[in-house]
Each structure stands twice: as C-alpha cells, then as structure tokens.
C-alpha cells in the first residue's frame, strides 16, 4: 500500500495527472492480462499523452470563445446554395489553415454563415489548432481598449498567436474611421501569418461605405482575398423557416 500511495504522490509531483487518474484501472488491466513491463510502461505514456491532448483541446475550445458549439453534422446542405457538402467535408481536413488561406462567407441573415464558421473552427480545435472567435463589434472594442485594459491586450495577443481567427458579422453595424484603421492594421498583421474566416451580410461593394474609406477598404479586401475561398451563400433563412414551422 505504501508503494501505491508513494507512486500516486510521485505522479502528482511530476504532474502526470493522466496516469494518476487511471492508475487503478491500468494496474488492474495489467494484472489480468499479465502484460510485460515494457507494455505497461508504454500504456502508461500513451495514457498520459492522450490525457494531455484531450485537456489541451478542451482548453482551446473554451479559449476560442465560440458563442455556441455547432458542427458540420448538423448542417443541412440541401437548404443552402453556394456551399456543397463535399466541399465542406474536404475543408474539414484543415489543410487550408496550414496554407494560411482564408474563408469568406457572404449571404443574407439566417443562412448559416455563423454556423459554418463555428463548425470549421470547432473542427480545427479538435485537430489541435488554436482558434479565436469574435464578432467584429467585440473585436473592435478589444482593439480600442488593448492599450489600457490587460484582458483586451491578452485576448489580442492570443488572437495573434492562433492559427485561425473567425470574425463574425461584418456589416451589421457601421464602423468609425478610427475603428476601421485599427481593424485594417490587425488584418495586415494577420495576413499570411494565420487563416481568417470572415462572415458578412454585405457584399464587397458595400464594405467601403460601411468602413467610410474606399482606399483603405480596397487594401483590406486585397489582403483578405489574397489566398481566399469565397462562398456566396443564398437560400431561405433558417430562422424564419423554423419559426414558420412552429406556427
Ligand atoms: P447567419 O450567421 O447566416 O445569420 P446562422 O448561422 O446564425 O445564420 O444560422 C441561424 C440558425 O439557424 C442557427 O441556429 C443555425 O445553426 C441554424 N442554421 C442555419 N442554416 C442551417 C442549415 N443549413 N442547417 C442547419 N441549421 C442551420
Ligand atoms: Mg451570423
């Protein structure tokens, strides 16, 4: 018993929590199947590594700040034009993130832009990438307060270190000139360093009006579109459709 307790204490000192939590089960299994010492050691390390990978994914899922978890499995591709199922499934391999490509979703409200962007983000987190999600209004708030507020500075730093940044709902609210400049600087900094997903209910042509500066908007779009796949989604709003169903 002493050896058992000491082992548990050593595991905790060494921060091997994965082994510590499944020690009883591992010993039990080894005794029953009479595994060799090397197999036991191997199981021990495998257990610790999968525990750490799982914990990291859980931490990153929380750190991404997804407003809700959405998956591709729950997306009805029959309802939307502009994104095919096989295309979406291919993108789940996240190669586009390795290549620092961007995905841009355009379309009317309720068409599934946010759903798709979150589903790609969740898939990326599960594959081990760091992802950040922000609505543009909050992203701008973070940029404006980064110099005076530690939490904002920390968030921006996390965004810059991530592999994928999702910027949702561009176009719902107009952006002041100073805000547009801050946003442009951020996109310039991100360009070719990380992948960006953008969702917008406004077409490119209306962005200049929304940002109040045609030259800067052109430069911004130039960066976003440099290595990008653009999806112009269309169809019936899912929100309205479901509302009608309930009536
Ligand atoms: P948008 O961002 O384009 O305004 P959302 O992605 O927020 O739309 O979609 C609104 C709601 O409808 C969400 O709950 C979303 O999960 C759901 N939804 C939209 N399109 C689909 C779809 N094709 N299949 C399943 N659910 C959908
Ligand atoms: Mg949305």
């Amino acid at each position: 018993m002493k050896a058992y307790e000491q082992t548990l204490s050593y595991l905790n000192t060494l921060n091997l929590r994965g082994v510590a939590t499944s020690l009883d089960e591992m010993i039990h299994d080894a005794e029953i199947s009479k595994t060799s010492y090397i197999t036991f050691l191997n199981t021990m390390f495998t257990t610790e590594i999968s525990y750490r990978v799982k914990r990291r994914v859980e931490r990153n899922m929380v750190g991404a700040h997804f407003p809700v978890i959405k998956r591709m499995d729950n997306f009805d591709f029959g309802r939307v034009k502009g994104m095919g199922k096989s295309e979406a499934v291919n993108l789940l391999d996240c190669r586009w993130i390795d290549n620092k490509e961007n995905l841009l979703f355009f379309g009317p409200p309720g068409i599934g832009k946010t759903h798709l962007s979150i589903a790609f983000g969740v898939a990326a987190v599960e594959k081990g990438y760091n992802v950040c999600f922000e609505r543009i209004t909050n992203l701008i708030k973070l940029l404006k307060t980064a110099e005076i507020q530690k939490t904002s500075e920390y968030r921006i730093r996390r965004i810059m270190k991530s592999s994928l940044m999702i910027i949702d709902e561009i176009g719902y609210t107009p952006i002041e000139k100073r805000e547009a400049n801050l946003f442009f600087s951020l996109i310039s900094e991100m360009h070719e360093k990380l992948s960006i997903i953008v969702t917008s209910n406004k077409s490119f042509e209306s962005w200049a009006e929304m940002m109040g500066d045609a030259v800067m908007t052109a430069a911004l779009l130039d960066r976003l579109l440099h290595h990008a796949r653009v999806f112009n989604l269309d169809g019936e709003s899912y929100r309205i459709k479901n509302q009608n169903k309930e009536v």
Side-chain angles (χ1 to χ4, degrees):
M1 201 57 194
K2 189 153 179 279
Y4 173 82
E5 266 147 20
Q6 205 168 41
T7 303
L8 261 187
S9 149
Y10 288 157
L11 288 172
N12 284 321
T13 307
L14 292 170
N15 225 357
L16 296 169
R17 293 216 199 106
V19 180
T21 47
S22 24
L23 186 64
D24 292 353
E25 196 186 322
M26 276 167 43
I27 293 173
H28 177 79
D29 289 352
E31 280 173 355
I32 289 201
S33 50
K34 300 196 172 28
T35 40
S36 65
Y37 296 120
I38 188 66
T39 306
F40 182 76
L41 259 183
N42 190 289
T43 309
M44 199 178 99
F45 288 124
T46 312
T47 304
E48 183 61 31
I49 287 167
S50 17
Y51 175 85
R52 287 186 184 194
V53 168
K54 192 164 160 266
R55 284 290 307 273
R56 201 177 57 223
V57 167
E58 283 165 3
R59 261 201 319 274
N60 286 344
M61 205 64 93
V62 173
H65 290 188
F66 295 120
V68 52
I69 299 296
K70 297 275 178 185
R71 292 178 192 280
M72 214 54 90
D73 304 351
N74 312 111
F75 194 78
D76 181 356
F77 287 91
R79 305 235 135 247
V80 57
K81 289 189 217 97
M83 163 66 90
K85 184 170 183 177
S86 59
E87 198 170 5
V89 170
N90 280 340
L91 288 169
L92 288 178
D93 70 4
C94 297
R95 290 261 307 276
W96 55 279
I97 299 181
D98 298 331
N99 298 333
K100 319 268 188 282
E101 287 177 60
N102 304 329
L103 305 185
L104 278 56
F105 296 105
F106 293 91
I111 200 75
K113 302 181 297 296
T114 303
H115 186 133
L116 284 170
S117 69
I118 294 174
F120 284 120
V122 166
V125 170
E126 283 171 349
K127 277 196 177 291
Y129 294 93
N130 271 331
V131 177
C132 287
F133 179 104
E134 294 294 345
R135 289 198 182 95
I136 182 129
T137 42
N138 199 50
L139 179 62
I140 284 174
K141 207 188 288 171
L142 290 170
L143 289 169
K144 281 163 83 174
T145 54
E147 277 182 16
I148 47 164
Q149 213 166 309
K150 274 268 167 278
T151 48
S152 303
E153 187 202 342
Y154 181 78
R155 183 68 182 160
I156 296 290
R157 244 192 287 145
R158 191 185 196 279
I159 287 171
M160 287 314 298
K161 277 196 286 182
S162 62
S163 307
L164 169 63
M165 171 68 199
I166 303 172
I167 307 168
D168 196 28
E169 294 190 349
I170 296 184
Y172 280 101
T173 41
I175 299 171
E176 284 171 23
K177 199 165 166 73
R178 185 173 94 85
E179 297 173 339
N181 278 325
L182 285 170
F183 182 56
F184 173 69
S185 304
L186 183 81
I187 297 290
S188 299
E189 232 180 292
M190 286 176 171
H191 179 55
E192 294 189 320
K193 276 205 204 89
L194 55 130
S195 284
I196 305 166
I197 291 184
V198 156
T199 81
S200 179
N201 63 327
K202 292 236 163 65
S203 63
F204 294 139
E205 296 78 42
S206 335
W207 277 33
E209 194 189 325
M210 173 183 71
M211 306 253 177
D213 183 331
V215 177
M216 194 215 60
T217 308
L220 174 78
L221 285 172
D222 190 57
R223 280 155 182 77
L224 280 177
L225 288 166
H226 187 196
H227 306 287
R229 299 179 204 210
V230 180
F231 299 95
N232 289 302
L233 307 180
D234 203 4
E236 197 192 343
S237 162
Y238 209 80
R239 288 193 194 100
I240 293 172
K241 183 188 76 87
N242 279 358
Q243 212 172 28
N244 289 344
K245 221 194 265 174
E246 282 158 27
V247 173

